[in-house]
Amino acid sequence: MRCRVCDGSITQLFDFGRQPLSDAFLSPDDIEHEFFFRLAVGVCDSCTMTQLLEEVARDRMFHADYPYHSSGSEHMRRHFEQTAGAFLQEHLSGPDPFAVEIGCNDGVMLRTLAKAGVRHLGVEPSGGVAELARSNGVRVRIDFFEESVAAEIVAAEGPADLIYSANTICHIPYIGSVLRGVDALLAPDGVFVFEDPYLGDILERNTFDQIYDEHFFFFTVRSVQAAALRFGFEVADVQRLAVHGGELRYTLARAGRREPTPAVAELLAEEEARGLGTPAAFAPFAANIESISTDLMKLLRELRADGKRVVGYGATAKSATVTNYCGIGPDLVSFVCDTTPAKHGRLMPGSHIPVRPPEALAEPYPDYALLFAWNHAEEIMAKERAFHDSGGRWILYVPKVHIV
Ligand code: SAM
Ligand code: TMP
Ligand code: ZN
């Protein structure tokens, strides 16, 4: 396997072994057809891009039944509303602006632009969530964004002033095709803004569960800058975001068109000082993954031996890596609560722990709830205050195993 950005050689960092697809929630009669792949991560010796070593075919992951709904979190709805508001002021205030979103999901961001009457288009391959976006008044093309699709869009609708993407660019191994597509579609002074989990935060917070099939790349400013330069762009701004355990929002412009903000050089210097992107920077993280796995299994086995009831909370894609790497099954965590209707009555990938609606938490309250959706901790703990008040306790496993 060579680097998907620069074709350089790759140093392997971790191998999590055979893993299922993180969003493939099974109906009980699907178990024998379950798909597995090798989840392993490496870092490019040349451009420092951290990436998976094995790629899963895109239509196995993103299809009509893709179950992740972006609007499932109140906090994320607010985040995308604010994002859209900022775009309206900063990038979409000229005459008849045009905005394209790559991976618009259920329209959580674009519906604000649609309400403001801004010309827009979402490109979203997963038909189910794309239909939800349409029902929210959002224009969507059901397709994978890539070079040929971008060429068709620009021919039909003209250049885009803004191309935006959240939690999607890191999902796309064919990043060269995406950046050539952005080049074809973007207006000369347009910007390409995207936000994804930041490798610097993943290593600092030990959030190893960010590693799963859909998360193909783990970006840094340095690796994104290297990729951008290959396709005629440069990083004009970076902004740290607190969502999903720590992300970076990158603003790319055509090289030489915008003076980069001081934040770019500052974060590049910080990455350099940390050695981020070198294999050595991953050593403490690797050791911490092992401690988390050992400590979590010890705790869950002790609780079972003491006759305590433990359930999970949040059937996240991330939880597939935790349950399958650590070896957590229904014997330790009897079910997982989740708000997403499409996940109810299904089994978690690989671990086969049943998923039930959130109301199941109180029937009756368990002794402990293992919070897989740790990135939504504040929102979930607030809505489930009665569980904690009744003596129930939350188990968290990042940055280390602890109980609150
Ligand atoms: N932007 C939303 C958010 O931040 O909540 C959705 C993120 S979701 C994790 C990733 C989305 O990217 C999915 O809806 C998936 O269907 C979509 N996707 C995957 N590959 C894509 C591609 N090549 N072009 C456009 N969307 C893609
Ligand atoms: P995410 O971490 O990828 O955003 O996934 C969050 C999952 O947690 C998703 O399946 C929805 C679920 N969830 C709840 O069950 N209750 C909640 O209050 C929130 C915010 C999310
Ligand atoms: Zn490379």
Side-chain angles (χ1 to χ4, degrees), residues 3 5-8 44 46-49 51:
C3 172
V5 178
C6 78
D7 204 38
C44 174
S46 306
C47 76
T48 75
M49 185 67 87
Q51 56 200 284

Side-chain angles (χ1 to χ4, degrees), residues 233-353:
F233 296 101
E234 65 185 352
V235 178
D237 189 29
V238 284
Q239 190 189 342
R240 295 192 88 135
L241 304 175
V243 298
H244 292 313
E247 301 206 326
L248 273 192
R249 177 178 288 167
Y250 307 87
T251 300
L252 268 54
R254 294 187 192 283
R257 299 298 275 239
R258 272 173 200 245
E259 180 69 22
T261 61
V264 179
E266 281 164 20
L267 211 45
L268 275 170
E270 191 182 311
E271 290 182 354
E272 173 88 32
R274 290 177 67 181
L276 211 57
T278 62
F282 292 90
F285 178 65
N288 294 338
I289 296 175
E290 289 317 306
S291 314
I292 290 174
S293 173
T294 308
D295 294 350
L296 184 57
M297 291 309 282
K298 184 165 170 279
L299 174 64
L300 293 176
R301 289 190 180 119
E302 281 170 6
L303 293 176
R304 181 178 56 187
D306 289 349
K308 303 292 188 198
R309 266 184 77 227
V310 182
V311 309
Y313 206 108
T316 59
K318 295 184 284 292
S319 64
T321 299
V322 179
T323 53
N324 291 291
Y325 183 66
C326 300
I328 301 168
D331 53 326
L332 293 173
V333 171
S334 41
F335 62 87
V336 179
C337 300
D338 193 283
T339 45
T340 318
K343 297 181 184 177
H344 299 157
R346 300 276 181 139
L347 305 175
M348 304 262 287
S351 65
H352 303 162
I353 302 171

Side-chain angles (χ1 to χ4, degrees), residues 125-147:
S126 299
V129 291
E131 290 300 344
L132 286 174
R134 284 177 177 165
S135 67
N136 284 321
V138 169
R139 274 185 74 225
V140 188
R141 172 174 174 143
I142 301 183
D143 234 328
F144 289 94
F145 185 89
E146 56 191 333
E147 195 177 2

